[in-house]
Amino acid sequence: MHLPETRPRPSVFYNYEIHPFRRPAELDGGGEPAPVAIVGAGPIGMLTAIELARFGVRSVLLEQELQVSHGSRAIVLTRRSVEILQHAGVAGPFLAKGLPWSSGRSFYRGKPVYEMVMPHDDDDRFLPGLNIQQQYIEQYLVEAVEKSDLIDFRWGSKVLAVTQDERSATLRIDTPEGEYDLKADWVVAADGGRSTIRKLMNLKMEGRAYVGNFVIADIKADIDLPTQRLCFFDPDWNPGNNVLVHRQPDGLWRIDFRLPDGETAEEATRPEKLAERIDHALGMIGQRVPWTLDWATVYSANTLTLPDYVAGRVVFTGDAAHLLPIFGVRGANTGFQDCDNLAWKLALVAKGAAPRALLESYSSERVQAAREICEEGGKSTRFMTPPSAGYRLMRDAVLSLALSEDFPKDLLHWRTSRAHAYARSPLNSFPDEDAAFSGGIAVGDPIRDVRLGADDFFFDHLVEPGFLLLCFAAEGSLTADLRETLRAAGRAGVRVARALIGLPAAPEAGLADIVIADPERRIAAKYGAPDGGAYLVRPDQHVCARWRRVDSHVFARALDRALGGNA
Amino acid sequence: MMPKLLSTPDLERVYDLIAEAIDAAPDAKRSLMLAKLALALANLVGDPAKVEEAVAAATRDL
């Protein structure tokens, strides 16, 4: 019998809502197999369900608890994550609540050594960072899930076992009213770092764990500092270690510091010890103000990934698939990119509209991304928590030099989570056409936003789920080839949103879904596209083909390729 | 202020290279290894004035 906690979790700022367990039909001998069963309703599991629903695919979403996560956990969303949320139609509440920022400062022994402003283009609507607690991230996604008719959200449901054959998978589920079996064509394992599914299937991750524990303590306090990443190396009260300070909504602040080697999590989170260190941290930043503790936990850094995210009918995503370092805000941000990549592919495969190879491309693309993160994040990790005497000595050398020299400062860059280029994806095509462009957005890269007006951006117009065909008609007329391509796209077997850039209106009805006049030719310039050129963009907004001159045949071949065919 | 002659990727490479060389040397021989490294690099730089600048940067803020 699974008996989840029924009392709201304690918090000084967040009001936890209990979502009661609802008895499913399966417990009374009813129910039917689900196209997709998602295990874990954290941010990644929920976004997967929302995106599947946008493609018309029904899912059962299984969550062990009756309320959202304990503690604020993931507190920074990158620009790419906010773009993903915008494209999924759910970004509004995040933008209303979150605190945007773009810069950070680092200090060594109290003196400034580094300052950085993360790149921000005037064409980007969103700033590089948005601070918001995971309780709110989950709450807003819960609200979006509840609005959908295609998501069967089952709180208080814990997976005990998973079995599968060639055709389907079966989950054994435990609830407060007994156990039942749920059959599903596909299972998405989005059950986090300590994934039950990963353990049940005995799948091992590759990579390494780093020694070195960190405490994160969230306090409510009236601190007078801007929203910026603040990092302090070797403060006198935490010699040889570092402290990070991040502002959150609702007057919350995260203090994040490395523990002395050998100190246990238990020792570190003893109230008096914690209070002493928090007081030191506040003294260090010149803000000796009263504070109340909301939540504290201990973490360590890992650079681990499953080598394959597809195991038969079970697909792994988010922290269930990989454990990545906190440095560079890589947890939820990587997970959002994962499920944005996964959902459209799983939707097509689940509907029988694409071969299994399409799902395998999710794994190859995202495992590659995870490996890049392990590599980059590994560098940051070796700087923030030096794994050996040699790395520690080099770190101290860089910090000390940075007090008077500029040349080593780039080593203090925190290497933020970024979108990945799927440059070698099997879904890409027409590499020669791609190479013929000078500039624009390369095949494999995600498309970029463009400012069209004071409060008007290109991405605001791209709200439809599915593929996107961007056609450029910058000379005031439509070429015959372009016209034919648009017609072909309108007849395609999958949803292709057709965007015509450069004309005030479509020359005939039904030829385009989105028309953007782009009188200043800003989109044409950013995309480097001549009149008659086009981009084919996947539902996760990554480019899979582009042409300086498109016609309906090359479009059809590229689309077929992008669907996992071998055109 | 010394000029930045190493690209950032190359800076990252040499950072890891030296860190691992330090770890590979027996603890008691660490200073010897680093002194040898300093001399070897000074030779590659080939200019005593530049070596003086590097010594000044290294001895500052210890």
Side-chain angles (χ1 to χ4, degrees):
Chain A
M1 194 77 68
H2 171 54
L3 297 167
E5 178 58 69
T6 52
R7 291 163 307 176
R9 304 187 209 274
S11 169
V12 305
F13 78 98
Y14 187 77
N15 293 316
Y16 281 90
E17 185 190 332
I18 297 295
H19 301 270
F21 168 74
R22 288 193 308 252
R23 189 181 175 83
E26 283 81 0
L27 280 176
D28 298 311
E32 52 178 352
V36 181
I38 301 170
V39 182
I44 311 316
M46 284 196 278
L47 188 63
T48 306
I50 289 164
E51 292 203 13
L52 284 171
R54 275 164 66 75
F55 293 111
V57 175
R58 195 169 60 81
S59 65
V60 174
L61 182 56
L62 299 158
E63 170 51 47
Q64 201 164 274
E65 303 300 324
L66 299 176
Q67 53 193 307
V68 300
S69 285
H70 184 45
S72 41
R73 305 175 72 189
I75 55 161
V76 187
L77 294 181
T78 57
R79 172 189 304 122
R80 184 65 203 138
S81 290
V82 182
E83 287 173 350
I84 289 169
L85 293 170
Q86 180 191 32
H87 190 54
V90 298
F94 292 84
L95 297 165
K97 188 69 173 176
L99 301 173
W101 60 282
S102 53
S103 67
R105 287 183 295 156
S106 300
F107 299 80
Y108 177 54
R109 296 188 176 164
K111 301 206 188 87
V113 282
Y114 186 63
E115 172 143 15
M116 201 194 67
V117 179
M118 293 187 282
H120 177 62
D121 210 301
D122 188 53
D123 281 330
D124 288 324
R125 183 185 259 292
F126 309 119
L127 285 191
L130 186 76
N131 285 2
I132 180 167
Q133 298 94 331
Q134 186 156 331
Q135 292 97 329
Y136 288 119
I137 296 173
E138 293 190 4
Q139 178 190 318
Y140 302 147
L141 292 173
V142 168
E143 288 162 5
V145 166
E146 285 173 345
K147 286 196 194 118
S148 173
D149 292 330
L150 291 174
I151 307 171
D152 177 357
F153 201 162
R154 300 191 186 181
W155 296 89
S157 307
K158 179 182 157 87
V159 172
L160 296 177
V162 52
T163 53
Q164 58 172 311
D165 60 33
E166 268 122 52
R167 304 277 203 86
S168 68
T170 303
L171 295 170
R172 181 92 188 143
I173 297 170
D174 197 10
T175 75
E177 293 182 19
E179 293 178 19
Y180 67 91
D181 283 334
L182 177 69
K183 205 161 168 200
D185 295 339
W186 297 96
V187 170
V188 174
D191 53 343
R194 288 186 282 268
S195 166
T196 298
I197 303 281
R198 196 178 69 228
K199 291 189 181 123
L200 286 171
M201 295 181 68
N202 203 27
L203 293 170
K204 299 281 175 256
M205 294 192 286
E206 62 182 35
R208 63 170 291 183
Y210 284 85
V211 158
N213 283 337
F214 291 78
V215 164
I216 45 182
D218 286 352
I219 60 172
K220 190 169 166 77
D222 195 7
I223 293 173
D224 185 21
L225 285 174
T227 311
Q228 239 190 359
R229 176 191 186 268
L230 289 169
C231 182
F232 301 83
F233 289 98
D234 202 23
D236 49 30
W237 60 275
N238 195 9
N241 290 316
N242 37 21
V243 185
L244 283 153
V245 179
H246 271 287
R247 185 160 169 242
Q248 301 173 40
D250 295 0
L252 270 284
W253 288 82
R254 170 160 301 176
I255 316 284
D256 175 332
F257 53 88
R258 191 176 183 283
L259 294 175
D261 290 332
E263 190 173 309
T264 64
E266 219 168 54
E267 287 166 340
T269 50
R270 264 179 28 233
E272 326 79 58
K273 188 106 224 173
L274 201 53
E276 188 191 312
R277 285 177 168 148
I278 292 172
D279 282 335
H280 278 307
L282 291 176
M284 179 187 70
I285 62 176
Q287 303 280 326
R288 284 176 212 281
V289 293
W291 54 271
T292 327
L293 183 72
D294 180 64
W295 172 73
T297 193
V298 175
Y299 73 88
S300 60
N302 299 290
T303 50
L304 294 163
T305 179
L306 286 172
D308 194 338
Y309 294 167
V310 180
R313 320 249 3 146
V314 180
V315 186
F316 288 81
T317 193
D319 286 356
H322 46 63
L323 288 171
L324 300 168
I326 200 170
F327 313 112
V329 299
R330 299 178 181 278
N333 291 302
T334 307
F336 281 139
Q337 289 178 34
D338 285 344
C339 66
D340 194 40
N341 185 308
L342 171 62
W344 68 271
K345 296 173 177 177
L346 182 57
L348 285 165
V349 173
K351 289 194 271 197
R356 229 196 123 88
L358 189 60
L359 211 48
E360 280 152 24
S361 77
Y362 156 72
S363 181
S364 58
E365 289 172 10
R366 293 308 299 173
V367 168
Q368 176 59 32
R371 289 191 174 133
E372 285 169 20
I373 294 166
C374 288
E375 167 89 22
E376 286 162 33
K379 290 178 194 164
S380 303
T381 304
R382 287 193 291 283
F383 200 86
M384 296 298 276
T385 175
S388 65
Y391 277 98
R392 185 171 275 280
L393 192 53
M394 290 306 289
R395 200 270 291 271
D396 289 350
V398 167
L399 289 169
S400 180
L401 279 168
L403 287 169
S404 65
E405 299 288 333
D406 281 346
F407 83 88
K409 290 192 178 189
D410 280 353
L411 291 166
L412 278 94
H413 188 347
W414 56 82
R415 299 180 189 89
T416 321
S417 166
R418 57 175 181 84
H420 293 261
Y422 305 137
R424 285 183 305 279
S425 170
L427 308 186
N428 296 341
S429 54
F430 297 95
D432 294 343
E433 297 282 337
D434 180 35
F437 278 77
S438 56
I441 316 284
V443 165
D445 281 0
I447 53 173
R448 296 296 304 271
D449 211 349
V450 182
R451 180 189 285 276
L452 301 172
D455 188 22
D456 182 22
F457 288 80
F458 181 33
F459 281 8
D460 300 346
H461 301 261
L462 306 179
V463 292
E464 289 303 308
F467 281 84
L468 173 67
L469 180 68
L470 287 181
C471 292
F472 292 86
E475 306 235 312
S477 68
L478 217 45
T479 64
D481 277 338
L482 208 51
R483 197 181 288 255
E484 205 32 62
T485 307
L486 285 164
R487 289 202 190 105
R491 293 188 304 259
V494 294
R495 214 184 313 189
V496 180
R498 300 155 301 164
L500 191 54
I501 315 288
L503 291 181
E508 58 189 67
L511 200 60
D513 305 295
I514 304 156
V515 179
I516 303 177
D518 193 26
E520 290 168 52
R521 305 203 45 188
R522 298 186 66 129
I523 304 176
K526 191 117 185 178
Y527 284 70
D531 191 27
Y535 276 71
L536 181 60
V537 183
R538 301 157 27 153
D540 56 7
Q541 300 190 305
H542 284 252
V543 178
C544 54
R546 60 174 176 165
W547 308 266
R548 297 186 68 71
R549 271 200 73 93
V550 74
D551 63 58
S552 59
H553 300 292
V554 298
F555 158 75
R557 279 169 53 202
L559 184 63
D560 186 58
R561 186 72 185 249
L563 293 170
N566 277 317
Chain B
M1 179 81 69
M2 295 191 288
K4 182 176 193 287
L5 298 176
L6 280 172
S7 69
T8 301
D10 282 349
L11 195 53
E12 291 175 348
R13 271 182 68 198
V14 306
Y15 179 95
D16 285 353
L17 199 61
I18 302 171
E20 297 192 357
I22 293 169
D23 284 330
D27 286 2
K29 301 285 185 180
R30 180 184 299 171
S31 296
L32 178 62
M33 191 281 281
L34 287 169
K36 287 168 70 179
L37 181 60
L39 209 47
L41 289 168
N43 177 57
L44 288 175
V45 164
D47 178 358
K50 289 188 181 149
V51 176
E52 270 186 51
E53 234 195 300
V55 168
T59 45
R60 221 176 277 139
D61 299 314
L62 285 173

